[in-house]
Amino acid sequence: MSERSKRADAATEADEATGTRRGARGPRRIVAAAVLTGAEGLVVAAFGVVSLVLLVTRRPDDTTQAATLAATVLALSVLPLAAAGGLWHRRRWSRGPSMIVQLIALPVAWQLGRNGGGSLAAAVVLGLAAVVVLGCLVNPKATEALGVGRD
């Protein structure tokens, strides 16, 4: 039996165990985690694009530092976007990166909240999203649908 056949059989078993049909997007928890993780990635990417636009349209004090910030933020947006795509397609590997993103988001939300003002709203949204995604990804049905723990 080929490796591809084994994976297809495992996916079918997971579908039967979680009550999802083949071709469906999967349990709602995985879909919710994918959407929230993707939204986080899009926000980070937007911040990177805004940083690039500001670099081009304004004269920063330190051009190298501004360019490095923009490039770093854009590079950092790749992880949550890739994890979201993997979750959306129910790829086993995507759970870990998504959880890492959420664990990083929690202290970021905490620091935003300490700043107060408009940052408080962003902190609450980010913190809630991180907790919800983590809750979704540790749920037994979601882990089973992603094939975590099977070997």
Side-chain angles (χ1 to χ4, degrees):
M1 182 180 264
S2 72
E3 185 64 31
R4 188 176 203 147
S5 304
K6 289 178 185 177
R7 283 187 296 206
D9 289 344
T12 302
E13 289 175 17
D15 290 343
E16 291 169 359
T18 58
T20 58
R21 66 186 188 286
R22 197 79 177 134
R25 286 289 168 222
R28 282 184 233 138
R29 289 173 183 91
I30 294 175
V31 172
V35 168
L36 289 171
T37 303
E40 291 168 342
L42 288 174
V43 168
V44 173
F47 180 68
V49 169
V50 167
S51 296
L52 274 177
V53 169
L54 292 175
L55 174 67
V56 172
T57 59
R58 295 188 179 170
R59 294 267 176 202
D61 293 335
D62 187 351
T63 306
T64 304
Q65 184 179 14
T68 303
L69 171 69
T72 302
V73 171
L74 284 171
L76 288 174
S77 71
V78 172
L79 182 63
L81 290 173
L87 288 172
W88 187 259
H89 295 288
R90 290 177 31 195
R91 302 288 185 251
R92 180 179 179 171
W93 61 264
S94 61
R95 182 175 178 253
S98 183
M99 290 181 78
I100 290 168
V101 168
Q102 306 318 313
L103 292 172
I104 292 170
L106 289 172
V108 171
W110 177 262
Q111 286 300 328
L112 280 172
R114 292 186 64 185
N115 291 338
S119 298
L120 184 59
V124 170
V125 170
L126 180 60
L128 283 175
V131 169
V132 167
V133 171
L134 285 170
C136 288
L137 292 177
V138 298
N139 180 278
K141 284 187 179 183
T143 58
E144 189 172 337
L146 289 170
V148 175
R150 278 189 302 199
D151 284 321

